[in-house]
Each structure stands twice: as C-alpha cells, then as structure tokens.
Amino acid sequence: MNAAQGLHRAGSARRAWTIGALTVAAALLGACGSRAPAPTQMDLGPVAAWPQQAPLAKRVELQGLSAPETLQGTGIAYRLADSDPYARRVYRDSRWAAPLPVLVAARMRQQIARAPVAAGADPQVVIGVSLELEESLQSFSSASRSEVQVRVMATAEDGTQRAFDRSEPAGGNAEGAVKATAAAVDALAPEIAAWAATLSPRTPAPRGRR
C-alpha cells in the first residue's frame, strides 16, 4: 500500500468517526429536547378572608390534621366515574406543591386563627379540634364536567365528633380541581370552627393529694 492510499484510508476513517459522533450528539440533543417538562406545582392559593358577620362564640384552635395514605402524596387525584369508576388516577403534568394534608392544615389553621370572636366571649377559653381529611377527589361525570368532594372528620378535645362534607364544581382539568378544592376547604373551615365553638372546653382533671 502506497502513502497516498494510506492517507486516503486515514481520512475516510476520520470522516466516518466524525459523522458517527455528530449523529450520536444529535440523537442526545433530540432526546433532551423531547423530554417532558416538569409538572406544574400547584397550591391552594391565597388564604380566603373569614366570612363577614360570622364571629365565633369561643376561640377555636386547630391542633392537627391527619389523612390516610391515599392522600399523602403530591398527586392531584381524579376518577372517571362515567367510564372507569374503580380506578384512582393522578394528573401527569400537575402536582400539589406539598402533600395535600399539609396544604389543607396550613390553610385552615390560618383561617381559623384569623376568625373574630363574639363580643363578651372569654378570650382565655379555647376549644381545641383535630381533623382527619378522609377524602379529597375530583370525580368526572363526563369529559368536561366534574366535581371535587372534600370530606373531613372533626374531633373536639372532649371526644365529640362530627363529619363535614363539601362538593364544588371542578370543570375538566387539574386547574379546576385545585380551585374547587380550595373553595371546598374555605367553606368547611368556618363550618367546623362554628361547630367547635358551641362545645364546652375540656375540664382539667383534678390533681391528687401528695
């Protein structure tokens, strides 16, 4: 093999390597360009004002909020009640910014803490209440019509319990579900606080003699 043939083969090898490298780079860039964007982080928005003309008979304090495992993630859940009522799905492109129980607890705690107390009420008397978020789910009756149901069990310090339930229209997407969830929570907080404020505070246990 003469020198000219050697140089020709070397040049061909370099061109083949360069073309191959460019092909791989283009494929990688294409894969990066087609990668789905990160899901939108959603929360319940600004805290709503307390309803006018709705002072509480006693101060109320939210002591805690629990929830089942199905509500502990950040997925915004929905159900196709019209076509597949046994499957619980979550949106791909939208997520809660934090687990929903965390968002609901923070919102209700702020709302109740801002609630006015009726004139003449003893400011030292506080009714503690704990909540369990039993369900929050968007249910579709058609492709464009759905509602969000939020269900809460409230337990006062004396053991008295009451269930609260609220449904709000939610349209046909995740944004509608988020807005409906916020509206349901905003409606439930005054109801729960007004109920708790009618209860008697827990009587401290008497101390034994030393």
Side-chain angles (χ1 to χ4, degrees), residues 79-166:
R79 188 189 305 280
L80 302 177
D82 58 329
S83 60
D84 193 3
Y86 299 103
R88 190 183 186 98
R89 296 174 166 85
V90 296
Y91 285 98
R92 180 190 62 186
D93 299 327
S94 299
R95 292 285 187 274
W96 292 116
L100 184 57
V102 174
L103 298 176
V104 172
R107 191 176 185 85
M108 283 194 169
R109 184 171 286 112
Q110 291 181 61
Q111 286 178 298
I112 293 173
R114 296 176 182 180
V117 179
D122 185 349
Q124 301 303 317
V125 175
V126 180
I127 306 295
V129 61
S130 298
L131 305 179
E132 181 180 4
L133 181 62
E134 296 183 336
E135 184 59 287
S136 179
L137 180 68
Q138 181 184 24
S139 181
F140 281 86
S141 56
S142 70
S144 60
R145 177 176 293 183
S146 71
E147 67 175 20
V148 163
Q149 181 187 37
V150 177
R151 189 169 64 247
V152 176
M153 177 63 72
T155 304
E157 288 179 309
D158 63 357
T160 304
Q161 289 187 317
R162 180 176 166 183
F164 294 85
D165 189 283
R166 183 80 178 193

Side-chain angles (χ1 to χ4, degrees), residues 1-138:
M1 181 175 68
N2 57 34
Q5 289 177 322
L7 290 173
H8 176 74
R9 289 187 179 182
S12 298
R14 283 196 296 271
R15 285 195 297 273
W17 185 92
T18 301
I19 292 171
L22 289 173
T23 301
V24 171
L28 290 174
L29 288 173
C32 292
S34 62
R35 184 177 300 169
T40 302
Q41 301 293 305
M42 312 285 280
D43 60 25
L44 297 175
V47 177
W50 195 259
Q52 293 184 353
Q53 309 301 322
L56 300 178
K58 303 180 186 72
R59 285 179 56 211
V60 176
E61 182 180 87
L62 177 57
Q63 296 181 328
L65 186 145
S66 61
E69 186 176 350
T70 53
L71 298 177
Q72 293 295 342
T74 58
I76 300 175
Y78 68 92
R79 188 189 305 280
L80 302 177
D82 58 329
S83 60
D84 193 3
Y86 299 103
R88 190 183 186 98
R89 296 174 166 85
V90 296
Y91 285 98
R92 180 190 62 186
D93 299 327
S94 299
R95 292 285 187 274
W96 292 116
L100 184 57
V102 174
L103 298 176
V104 172
R107 191 176 185 85
M108 283 194 169
R109 184 171 286 112
Q110 291 181 61
Q111 286 178 298
I112 293 173
R114 296 176 182 180
V117 179
D122 185 349
Q124 301 303 317
V125 175
V126 180
I127 306 295
V129 61
S130 298
L131 305 179
E132 181 180 4
L133 181 62
E134 296 183 336
E135 184 59 287
S136 179
L137 180 68
Q138 181 184 24

Side-chain angles (χ1 to χ4, degrees), residues 177-198:
V178 170
K179 291 180 178 179
T181 303
V185 171
D186 291 345
L188 287 173
E191 290 184 19
I192 293 170
W195 164 76
T198 65

